[in-house]
Amino acid sequence: MKSIFYSFETKSEPWVEEARAAYLKKISAFIPFEIEMLKSPPLARDDAESKKRAEAEKLLSLLRPTDLLVLFDEKGKMFTNSEAFASTFGKMLERSPARMVFLIGGAFGVDEAVRKRAQSTFSFSGLTFNHWVAQIVALEQIYRALTILKGLPYHNR
């Protein structure tokens, strides 16, 4: 099973690119994994609904019917701890979809069409993070979940 991590953004800082590259290498040691940044359409900030629709169209055009879409969103299911996330993640891996797709939406969230398409929606905190921090938190938790599932000494209880 291949996994891909999508996020919408316009430009990132070098530290974000370095962190993404580090987690790409770590996660790829466990599962086939890639990270792709999607360009957010250059619409005005005050036209959030149009921006969300355009991002949804772009994302949905990239998805295959068999993809398992996991949305990271502040309105998603929260976990009590990383072991609980790892357990859920492990069950998703067992389903063996052809491809597991992770998504962090744009600055204004995601369109309802994306919410409906997502099989799972998760939140890592009640706090709102900027896109760079959200990406790194999501990637770190995916890596942490994989080490928990493999019984490796990364996660300390």
Side-chain angles (χ1 to χ4, degrees):
M1 174 201 37
K2 182 178 182 179
S3 295
I4 187 163
F5 182 91
Y6 287 127
S7 185
F8 283 96
E9 69 177 25
T10 53
K11 188 178 177 187
S12 64
E13 296 284 331
W15 68 267
V16 177
E17 293 172 22
E18 289 173 23
R20 280 195 302 243
Y23 279 107
L24 174 62
K25 183 176 179 182
K26 290 178 178 202
I27 294 167
S28 294
F30 294 95
I31 58 175
F33 194 80
E34 62 184 74
I35 298 172
E36 186 175 334
M37 295 298 104
L38 303 174
K39 186 152 176 61
S40 190
L43 298 171
R45 255 188 100 68
D46 60 351
D47 196 3
E49 290 306 311
S50 293
K51 197 168 189 99
K52 288 193 305 187
R53 270 192 307 278
E55 289 173 348
E57 287 173 16
K58 182 169 192 145
L59 173 76
L60 294 172
S61 74
L62 297 171
L63 296 179
R64 302 171 189 156
T66 56
D67 285 346
L68 179 95
L69 178 60
V70 178
L71 173 62
F72 293 120
D73 185 86
E74 63 190 12
K75 297 174 187 163
K77 174 188 175 182
M78 288 180 117
F79 293 93
T80 54
N81 56 41
S82 292
E83 287 99 344
F85 174 69
S87 175
T88 298
F89 184 74
K91 289 174 186 163
M92 290 188 305
L93 288 172
E94 288 171 4
R95 285 193 225 166
S96 298
R99 204 167 67 146
M100 188 180 304
V101 177
F102 300 95
L103 172 69
I104 294 179
F108 299 104
V110 296
D111 186 75
E112 193 58 32
V114 173
R115 282 191 194 288
K116 287 179 181 174
R117 173 62 176 82
Q119 284 88 352
S120 298
T121 304
F122 302 138
S123 173
F124 290 122
S125 174
L127 302 174
T128 301
F129 299 116
N130 75 29
H131 280 64
W132 299 334
V133 174
Q135 289 171 32
I136 304 312
V137 169
L139 291 168
E140 196 283 334
Q141 286 302 302
I142 291 168
Y143 174 68
R144 182 175 296 274
L146 289 164
T147 63
I148 290 169
L149 292 170
K150 293 288 186 184
L152 297 175
Y154 176 76
H155 178 73
N156 300 315
R157 270 195 118 195

